[in-house]
Amino acid sequence: MNYRIVHTTRYRYAQSVAASYNEAHLLPRSFTGQTVRGASLAIDPPCQDYRDRQDFFGNTASYFSIADPHHVVTITAVSEVQLLPTRRPLSFGDGLDWQTAADWFAAPIDPDVLDAAQFCLDSPLVRAADALRDYAAPSFTPGRPLADAAAELMARIHGEFVYDPAATDIATPLGEVLQNRRGVCQDFAHLAIGCLRSHGLAARYVSGYLETLPPPGQAKLQGADASHAWLQVYLPGAGWQDWDPTNNLQPADRHVITAWGRDYSDVAPLKGVIYGGGETHSVEVEVDVTALPEILEA
């Protein structure tokens, strides 16, 4: 599948902003299974400094600063991405059991497992906890294949938690999400990651996009898509596998990856510092994910 993604973010400030310094993770990354055909970032008002760099995790991080006074700033990311047939869901029923996998991470020898082991550790927004381990325990029975345990955990989160955009924000503690059983895709990804790390397993946060499909017979609305979050679990011998607990599925040809890291704080779409702006501001976000005709290679 091929997609064109337009992600527009607009900030409106009550008072003039004298200057701002920003970092964006809005340009998708290329890897086995996903190829970026083109990606660009447009900023209005024009920025005085702009640089792209590769962050610690290999994502594209875009730095820009605006020195002219402004009340409104608009950031538009436009990307074209091809998802390749090699990116397929995992089959269940065999593979390493989760306890053996945890032992591998505890004393990694294989270079790939050693690299993945960093995602067993606590991160700013996701910390291992007894409550998370206890919640996940029914899925992680002795000797169970890690893929099967992960699949059941995703299904349980999908079935037992309510998607509620008003219930949380980026600062809501994970323990509160677990207690109230409400949240959004970011919360559900963090919850699953915390459950896995609490069992000594490697999991990382994924930021990207999901093509939404309108009801039968209805046209797709402009701006109806959204940025999305899910996770990847490392299975020794199979590599990183994608899981989407919000929708209880394994991403394949409708999920476009922008970046991955330990948690949301590593790959926030936009963050920065402003001088001025007053006490209030508003944020408008529109995302369009459009399927494109297949690209024929020469």
Side-chain angles (χ1 to χ4, degrees), residues 179-208:
Q179 179 179 356
N180 296 334
R181 305 293 172 103
R182 310 180 79 86
V184 294
C185 58
Q186 170 194 306
D187 301 306
F188 303 153
H190 280 163
L191 177 66
I193 291 169
C195 288
L196 287 152
R197 290 180 184 170
S198 296
H199 279 83
L201 301 166
R204 65 189 183 189
Y205 182 93
V206 181
S207 175

Side-chain angles (χ1 to χ4, degrees), residues 9-45:
T9 306
R10 183 172 294 106
Y11 290 91
R12 301 182 187 273
Y13 300 97
Q15 299 177 15
S16 178
V17 174
S20 67
Y21 303 88
N22 312 273
E23 183 179 78
H25 282 90
L26 290 169
L27 303 181
R29 61 184 296 160
S30 289
F31 57 93
T32 301
Q34 177 174 296
T35 300
V36 178
R37 298 288 182 173
S40 63
L41 206 61
I43 298 135
D44 182 33

Side-chain angles (χ1 to χ4, degrees), residues 84-166:
L84 305 176
T86 52
R87 188 177 169 201
R88 296 296 185 196
L90 183 73
S91 58
F92 307 138
D94 54 13
L96 209 62
D97 69 86
W98 71 268
Q99 292 161 301
T100 302
D103 290 341
W104 280 40
F105 292 124
I109 299 176
D110 179 274
D112 290 335
V113 176
L114 178 61
D115 182 68
Q118 65 181 304
F119 295 98
C120 297
L121 305 175
D122 290 344
S123 58
L125 299 178
V126 181
R127 296 181 177 275
D130 290 342
L132 296 174
R133 181 180 177 85
D134 291 345
Y135 174 76
S139 300
F140 288 82
T141 52
R144 190 173 195 182
L146 175 51
D148 285 2
E152 181 176 302
L153 177 63
M154 299 308 124
R156 288 176 53 212
I157 293 173
H158 175 74
E160 297 172 7
F161 287 72
V162 176
Y163 187 90
D164 182 359

Side-chain angles (χ1 to χ4, degrees), residues 210-231:
L210 170 62
E211 181 196 22
T212 58
L213 302 176
Q218 296 186 24
K220 185 174 183 177
L221 299 177
Q222 184 176 1
D225 297 302
S227 56
H228 192 44
W230 59 100
L231 71 145

Side-chain angles (χ1 to χ4, degrees), residues 274-286:
I274 65 170
Y275 292 90
E279 296 183 358
T280 61
H281 71 277
S282 64
V283 184
E284 305 162 13
V285 179
E286 286 190 358

